[in-house]
Amino acid sequence: MKSHYDVAIIGGGVIGGSIAYQLAKRGSKVVLLEKDRLASQSSQAAAGMLGAQVELGTEVGPLFELAVKSRAMFRELTGELKDISGIDFGFVDKGMLKVAFEPEQVAEFQEIIDAQQKMGQPVEWMNTTEVIAREPEISGEILGGMYIPGDGQVSAPELSLAFAKSAAALGAEIREHTEVLSLVLEQGSVKGVVTAEETISCDKVVICAGAWSGILLKPMGIDLPVYPVKGECFSVLTHKPLITSTVFSHGCYMVPKRGGRLVVGATMKEHTYDRKVSFDGLATLVERAKRLLPQIREAEWEKAWAGIRPQTGDGMPYLGEHGDWKGLLFATGHFRNGILLSPITGCLIADLIEGKTSEINLSSFSPTRHLIVKQ
Ligand code: FAD
Ligand code: GLY
């Protein structure tokens, strides 16, 4: 007899992995289906910043609150996932600097500082001398910056693998090279998923297919407006670290990794699934990097890559149930912050599946705000 699962998760990126881990930990029978390899798309490309404050600026609404809560989960998660999977995902807790080059940015940062301090989040303004005392290789051209002690970073591919392998260790079934072609939707409920090989029977399905979520759902008449935003990055190698904490500026950020690697990101190009690194994108990034950190000129080139971020109409992820099809859930559209938001996404979706009331109000993230249903 063919197996029946409590939950089928579609997509083996950081979001699918986190949900599989939480569900397996709570005793659900889970299958995770990935069309390629685990963490082969956006979760592979990500710089790994946990930039709750650096990325979300003055928007201190529901997404900011979610991001801050998720960021707080990493310290415990690091030991937990290492114990189960043996993978150390490189959690670094050295804060971030967001620097200004233009007077308008100084004014903008002051507003961000005020808004975030009102929310009780530590952040302080540093003048040029103070920034350079902290990070001596940063350009003297900067006009100062925000220091955010709470924002950190991880290795995104390793975090994604740590989630999935921990889920497997706790009993989840992981199937790579298994593309889901459609869903079985009958009598108002989801009953299973269809792959090239078989139909897999399950009680619930979670769509975590990143920027491809809309494409997957369209043939079933479900119009979830997730669209792709390409991002290009490069990395260099140095013997001596050029910076100790992550440095962020308009149009360019730098994340110091283990082994003398420095990751520089990222471009933004909407509505393309093309993962080729363009000369123009790279040249722009290189120019910005040289302006921010002049000594990068001496570093050894390592490599360049691109990934496809999943974006939504209003910049908020889709977290929740379909509404009309019972048992169909979405966890996608995390755009620039999927690595940061992965721990809390796993917990929230597992809570929904278990029928638990969440302490977080999910109404702002409900997919029903944008879903066009044609049953
Ligand atoms: P993905 O990682 O794209 O995973 C989706 C998976 O679904 C893929 O593996 C795909 O193969 C699979 N799939 C698709 N269709 C099907 C199907 N039909 N059947 C089976 N499987 C399917 N976020 C941060 O928090 N911090 C950062 O510093 C950061 N930096 C970034 C830098 C760049 C250059 C980019 C591109 C992104 C960055 N992000 C960052 C964003 C982050 O990478 C994403 O938000 C996150 O990885 C999304 O995870 P996901 O699991 O939803 O998507
Ligand atoms: N969060 C960084 C990026 O998406 O490029």
Side-chain angles (χ1 to χ4, degrees):
M1 197 180 82
K2 285 213 169 154
S3 295
H4 174 87
Y5 296 88
D6 297 327
V7 187
I9 297 170
I10 308 177
V14 74
I15 299 298
S18 175
I19 296 167
Y21 170 61
Q22 285 300 333
L23 286 170
K25 200 167 131 183
R26 299 175 191 201
S28 288
K29 188 172 178 194
V30 174
V31 61
L32 186 149
L33 305 157
E34 164 54 49
K35 75 173 168 190
D36 193 326
R37 302 293 312 268
L38 288 170
S40 53
Q41 290 289 347
S42 199
S43 304
Q44 175 70 38
M49 292 178 290
L50 308 178
Q53 289 172 252
V54 91
E55 286 269 9
L56 296 171
T58 48
E59 306 150 38
V60 289
L63 186 55
F64 183 77
E65 286 175 42
L66 199 70
V68 166
K69 282 205 164 84
S70 198
R71 186 184 64 185
M73 296 168 77
F74 277 89
R75 184 171 301 285
E76 202 176 314
L77 200 59
T78 192
E80 194 176 306
L81 295 188
K82 185 156 186 227
D83 285 349
I84 305 174
S85 67
I87 299 174
D88 171 0
F89 61 75
F91 173 57
V92 176
D93 192 13
K94 290 195 181 150
M96 280 199 208
L97 271 168
K98 185 168 179 172
V99 298
F101 277 99
E102 313 297 336
E104 310 82 72
Q105 290 165 3
V106 175
E108 180 200 325
F109 287 9
Q110 206 52 61
E111 274 180 42
I112 296 174
I113 291 172
D114 289 348
Q116 294 189 351
Q117 284 178 342
K118 279 198 191 102
M119 297 292 289
Q121 291 304 317
V123 48
E124 60 180 281
W125 174 255
M126 283 185 174
N127 63 29
T128 308
T129 314
E130 288 166 328
V131 171
I132 288 174
R134 223 192 134 77
E135 294 292 355
E137 299 298 346
I138 289 186
S139 163
E141 245 192 275
I142 60 149
L143 304 177
M146 288 162 56
Y147 176 60
I148 300 160
D151 280 352
Q153 56 134 324
V154 298
S155 159
E158 284 169 296
L159 173 66
S160 311
L161 289 179
F163 273 131
K165 305 237 170 202
S166 298
L170 298 177
E173 199 178 311
I174 310 281
R175 297 199 202 165
E176 293 181 303
H177 303 293
T178 305
E179 180 172 6
V180 173
L181 303 174
S182 64
L183 310 179
V184 184
L185 298 168
E186 285 168 8
Q187 293 152 358
S189 298
V190 69
K191 305 277 185 197
V193 301
V194 181
T195 72
E197 283 79 36
E198 61 179 317
T199 296
I200 299 170
S201 158
C202 59
D203 296 329
K204 299 199 191 290
V205 170
V206 192
I207 308 292
C208 316
W212 297 266
S213 300
I215 296 175
L216 165 67
L217 293 164
K218 207 154 200 115
M220 271 80 64
I222 301 172
D223 199 351
L224 188 74
V226 178
Y227 66 90
V229 182
K230 176 179 176 179
E232 294 151 305
C233 292
F234 71 87
S235 59
V236 295
L237 302 170
T238 59
H239 295 304
K240 196 168 110 285
L242 296 179
I243 48 174
T244 55
S245 53
T246 299
V247 180
F248 198 97
S249 77
H250 277 268
C252 175
Y253 53 76
M254 299 188 168
V255 192
K257 298 289 180 184
R258 289 181 276 203
R261 285 184 78 221
L262 184 63
V263 169
V264 180
T267 59
M268 298 263 273
K269 187 172 180 194
E270 293 188 344
H271 301 296
T272 177
Y273 287 96
D274 174 2
R275 277 179 65 186
K276 290 197 282 290
V277 177
S278 70
F279 178 80
D280 201 31
L282 202 54
T284 308
L285 218 46
V286 166
E287 280 313 309
R288 288 177 183 163
K290 285 196 295 188
R291 185 176 183 210
L292 182 57
L293 192 69
Q295 273 301 313
I296 200 169
R297 287 178 169 84
E298 308 299 326
E300 179 187 343
W301 177 259
E302 192 191 34
K303 59 183 176 179
W305 64 93
I308 309 295
R309 307 173 183 93
Q311 176 60 307
T312 66
D314 56 6
M316 308 273 270
Y318 295 122
L319 306 174
E321 285 164 294
H322 180 275
D324 288 346
W325 292 112
K326 209 166 152 275
L328 179 58
L329 292 98
F330 305 96
T332 189
H334 295 74
F335 189 39
R336 289 178 62 100
N337 293 302
I339 306 303
L340 165 67
L341 294 168
S342 57
I344 201 138
T345 299
C347 290
L348 290 171
I349 298 294
D351 284 351
L352 281 176
I353 285 174
E354 286 189 323
K356 282 193 186 154
T357 320
S358 165
E359 60 176 89
I360 294 173
N361 180 352
L362 286 178
S363 55
S364 311
F365 307 108
S366 170
T368 55
R369 72 192 190 276
H370 290 155
L371 266 176
I372 301 163
V373 185
K374 295 177 216 122
Q375 280 195 45

